[in-house]
Amino acid sequence: MDTFTAATAIPLLRCEAVTRQGPNHPVNQDSFFADPACGLFTVADGMGGHRDGDQASKATVQAVAQLVNQPAVSHDSQLVELEAAVAGVNRELFAGYLAAPENDISGTTSLSLVISGPYASCVWAGDSRLYLLRQHHLFLISEDHADEAGRLTAAVGIDETVGFGRRTLELIPGDVFILCTDGLMKGMDETALANMAAEGTFGLADRLIARAVAGGSSDDITVITVWAEAHGQGG
């Protein structure tokens, strides 16, 4: 049986995924999933200062990862299924809070990249980010769900429903996508990110995290880099 991968051909996808626990954190509250064969990638950043952020991020990523076992559907249907999976986690987390509000909320950001056929889509809630490097120009595809003080205005587990953001674009061979939790940009700016991405894709995730740490980020950091190649390219 076909699975979550689309029936239409997609460019060859390559990826790297790296996570680093903040030196002062008892656990890494970031989680991730990456499957280039299925064109599905996701990162989640558990909300610090609240209860069980690491468990919230793990539950969200696990729910997304289960989609690879679903029958193949259209690109739009994949996005609907992804949002439904994350919304299911949201209901469970928020129900736990309502049952015992004295225990505080358990929440997480969620950002996923879905690539199938000629399309690449980002679905997110929170301030984890998706960047695209295309023809030497860096674009921020997602938009932070946060107020001026940096407080999240949308996330998984903090309300009865999740306010997702969604953007879709046509995929071009040579595109480089960078999924990251907010710890990355606490130690570097977008100019440095663009310059490093333009230097080459192999080892990029490790290099970005090293740069962020050198720049002073002490948060958990997770980076997934995904690049699309024409069939037959590689190396």
Side-chain angles (χ1 to χ4, degrees):
M1 176 186 292
D2 291 332
T3 57
F4 187 78
T5 50
T8 52
I10 61 176
L12 177 64
L13 300 178
R14 301 183 184 275
C15 79
E16 297 172 347
V18 181
T19 190
R20 172 193 181 272
Q21 181 176 324
N24 300 320
H25 293 184
V27 296
N28 188 342
Q29 298 203 81
D30 288 359
S31 299
F32 70 90
F33 174 79
D35 191 332
C38 294
L40 180 61
F41 313 87
T42 190
V43 296
D45 179 0
M47 292 173 62
H50 297 282
R51 177 177 58 88
D52 297 336
D54 59 319
Q55 297 302 314
S57 69
K58 288 178 182 177
T60 300
V61 167
Q62 288 170 356
V64 173
Q66 289 300 311
L67 295 174
V68 301
N69 299 316
Q70 301 301 313
V73 293
S74 69
H75 187 83
D76 285 344
S77 295
Q78 290 178 4
L79 305 183
V80 171
E81 290 183 359
L82 190 151
E83 289 183 358
V86 176
V89 177
N90 180 81
R91 287 192 297 272
E92 293 180 6
L93 292 175
F94 196 67
Y97 164 70
L98 292 178
E102 68 277 8
N103 291 335
D104 196 12
I105 62 170
S106 175
T108 181
T109 70
S110 174
L111 181 141
S112 296
L113 172 65
V114 178
I115 299 175
S116 66
Y119 301 111
S121 293
C122 177
V123 176
W124 76 95
D127 60 0
S128 293
R129 292 182 175 182
L130 176 69
Y131 287 95
L132 167 64
L133 183 74
R134 172 176 286 179
Q135 298 175 346
H136 308 292
H137 296 284
L138 185 72
F139 303 93
L140 177 59
I141 305 303
S142 60
E143 181 177 350
D144 291 354
H145 292 146
D147 61 21
E148 294 182 356
R151 294 183 294 263
L152 294 180
T153 56
V156 180
I158 67 173
D159 207 342
E160 287 185 281
T161 59
V162 185
F164 291 107
R166 184 199 288 192
R167 286 188 177 147
T168 297
L169 51 91
E170 290 192 15
L171 187 69
I172 296 176
D175 281 347
V176 179
F177 296 94
I178 302 168
L179 299 80
C180 62
T181 56
D182 70 338
L184 181 71
M185 305 312 294
K186 292 178 181 178
M188 64 191 307
D189 59 21
E190 291 182 343
T191 299
L193 177 60
N195 290 339
M196 293 183 68
E199 291 171 356
T201 50
F202 291 101
L204 177 59
D206 277 314
R207 296 199 308 273
L208 288 173
I209 288 182
R211 175 64 179 269
V213 171
S217 178
S218 60
D219 199 359
D220 302 329
I221 308 173
T222 299
V223 176
I224 302 175
T225 57
V226 182
W227 58 99
E229 300 177 340
H231 286 290
Q233 292 183 343

